[in-house]
Amino acid sequence: MKYDFQQKRQLLVDHILNHQADFYRLAFSYVKNQDAAMDVVQEAIVKALDKVDTLREPAYLKTWFYRILLNEAMNHFRRTRDLIPFDEALNDRPAVTLDPGERLDLYDAIERLSFPEQTVVKLRFFEDMKLEEIARATGANLNTVKSRLYKALKKLKSMTGEEIDHAS
């Protein structure tokens, strides 16, 4: 079935309205600030609405939009990564090395992963996306996604001492 611009736009609007809480949750998991997360989601929505005519296959709307959202989260991360609140800079201390006997909270451990590894873990386990969908959303090769997930789970196991089910 061939979709015209208005049909694609309506599909996108419906998708946004039905999943806005999911988008916010994912954005917040990256930016750790309510206002910034809302900004990231808003920017992603504006870009998606502006570029809806580039959506070739409406069946991939979900992954197409997640790609835009992830790009916006990464853009925000790049813009703000060197900015540290003044009071934090005053209290800056070397990182505490954890005693291997101490367990690290899983969410804290995920935050210690690289951005690509965090993305794969969050999309797989928090957004319940299949590996193929993650590959489309991130623009990465399926084998790259699998490799990132495997490495991330291995790191998480090492940091937390827990086994994480990585079934696709």
Side-chain angles (χ1 to χ4, degrees), residues 86-133:
F86 185 69
D87 56 340
E88 245 182 68
L90 291 176
N91 297 325
D92 196 17
R93 296 185 187 106
V96 177
T97 54
L98 294 174
D99 179 311
E102 292 181 36
R103 287 194 46 223
L104 184 63
D105 179 69
L106 180 59
Y107 291 101
D108 291 335
I110 291 170
E111 295 307 314
R112 292 173 176 229
L113 298 173
S114 70
F115 190 86
E117 291 169 339
Q118 281 185 40
T119 298
V120 172
V121 169
K122 289 175 181 179
L123 291 178
R124 176 70 191 99
F125 296 103
F126 300 163
E127 301 302 319
D128 201 29
M129 292 175 76
K130 292 181 171 36
L131 296 177
E132 295 80 11
E133 291 176 312

Side-chain angles (χ1 to χ4, degrees), residues 13 15 18 20 34 41 46 55 61 64 73 75-76 89 91 93 102 105 109 114 122 130 144-146 154 156 167:
V13 168
H15 182 68
N18 291 328
Q20 56 190 330
Q34 291 178 350
V41 172
V46 168
L55 176 62
L61 174 69
W64 177 82
N75 288 341
H76 181 273
N91 297 325
R93 296 185 187 106
E102 292 181 36
D105 179 69
S114 70
K122 289 175 181 179
K130 292 181 171 36
T144 301
V145 169
K146 289 177 181 178
K154 189 173 178 181
L156 289 172

